Amino acid sequence: MAKILFDIAAAQDPGEWLQAHLVMEISPHIFSYTLLNPDKKILQLRFYEMESSDNPGLAEELATVLGSDEIIQAAIEKKTLIYNFPESQLVPEKYFEPEAGKDMVELLHGDLNSCITLSERIP
């Protein structure tokens, strides 16, 4: 079961959440989010530690967190998800260059593992 590592709240009024920007990040061991007001000030910062080490277990843990967290459930105007896994990186289309894939993965995750790097355009 996912557990909250830390939770920093600067705004308790859910009315402040609606015009905010929710930035979430999922990685193999952490799910975190920051809620920013239009002036880029933090309203909420929360980190969950994910206990599962396999993908099906991680998906179940994430579904539980997403279904029970009151801020994620709120009708927030703008939401951004950052998918941060070593085996795959999502890149905005305007920066996507298939020949730069290996360099990008090594920049983000190091070059200790020699492996094949594949890339594909996802519309």
Side-chain angles (χ1 to χ4, degrees):
M1 187 71 193
K3 64 181 177 183
I4 296 175
L5 291 180
F6 62 87
D7 188 14
I8 301 169
Q12 298 297 329
D13 179 19
E16 292 184 61
W17 302 347
L18 301 179
Q19 302 300 316
H21 181 187
L22 179 63
V23 180
M24 302 169 280
E25 180 179 6
I26 180 71
S27 69
H29 306 290
I30 298 288
F31 173 73
S32 62
Y33 66 79
T34 304
L35 188 64
L36 303 168
N37 73 7
D39 297 326
K40 307 287 188 233
K41 295 197 181 187
I42 294 175
L43 301 176
Q44 180 82 32
L45 179 64
R46 186 174 288 170
F47 271 68
Y48 287 91
E49 180 179 34
M50 310 304 269
E51 293 181 1
S52 183
S53 60
D54 63 346
N55 285 341
L58 182 61
E60 288 175 19
E61 277 188 271
L62 185 58
T64 301
V65 169
L66 295 176
S68 63
D69 191 291
E70 70 280 358
I71 293 176
I72 295 172
Q73 294 296 313
I76 296 170
E77 190 172 290
K78 183 177 179 183
K79 295 181 181 182
T80 301
L81 177 64
I82 300 166
Y83 187 76
N84 188 7
F85 285 83
E87 64 270 9
S88 61
Q89 292 297 305
L90 297 178
V91 178
E93 185 173 10
K94 67 182 182 178
Y95 302 114
F96 178 73
E97 295 178 24
E99 60 277 357
K102 183 174 181 1
D103 292 335
M104 189 173 301
V105 170
E106 287 179 357
L107 175 68
L108 294 169
H109 301 287
D111 60 358
L112 295 178
N113 297 322
S114 72
C115 58
I116 297 172
T117 304
L118 304 173
S119 62
E120 80 178 287
R121 186 175 305 273
I122 301 171

